[in-house]
Amino acid sequence: MKFFKVFVVALLALFIGCSDGPETVAVNAAYAISHGDTAEFMKYIDADESEKSQIKGKLDIMVAGSVAQVNSMGGLKDVKVIETRSQGQYKIVTLEETYGNGKTQTQELRLKEKNGKWVIVL
């Protein structure tokens, strides 16, 4: 019985530790933008549903422009986290994006924890 309790506690700790951290959210958002998936990108931003409906059109335009740029560079091949640093209540995640033409680009995303989830602050 004691083994079972220890096993359950360890399993819970594993699942709790597997929640998406700021780095995972930043990488997922970068891939969503590069694939033109505005709906997926919107899952990662700090906005309630009414705010999201108000900014969806602008995000569609932004994402479409990003897709065109990414496609002109041969597509997004890889995204790596270069650095994560704290800045008050925020985490600043620096990403390096590698494109099909071999060029790389870095970008920083500012995230905060909101209701137990990491979200991108626009």
Side-chain angles (χ1 to χ4, degrees), residues 58-118:
K58 291 178 184 178
L59 284 177
D60 284 335
I61 293 168
M62 179 194 82
V63 169
S66 294
V67 168
Q69 180 183 4
V70 167
N71 288 342
S72 74
M73 296 170 64
L76 182 63
K77 298 301 176 196
D78 191 34
V79 179
K80 294 180 185 173
V81 175
I82 301 300
E83 175 186 37
T84 302
R85 67 182 187 280
S86 295
Q87 188 177 67
Q89 67 177 342
Y90 303 104
K91 295 285 185 185
I92 310 299
V93 178
T94 304
L95 301 176
E96 180 183 74
E97 300 171 337
T98 303
Y99 300 95
N101 63 4
K103 293 187 178 183
T104 61
Q105 179 176 311
T106 60
Q107 70 167 316
E108 288 188 348
L109 296 173
R110 184 171 60 149
L111 296 96
K112 72 177 185 178
E113 196 169 17
K114 182 176 181 180
N115 300 325
K117 289 177 48 178
W118 288 96

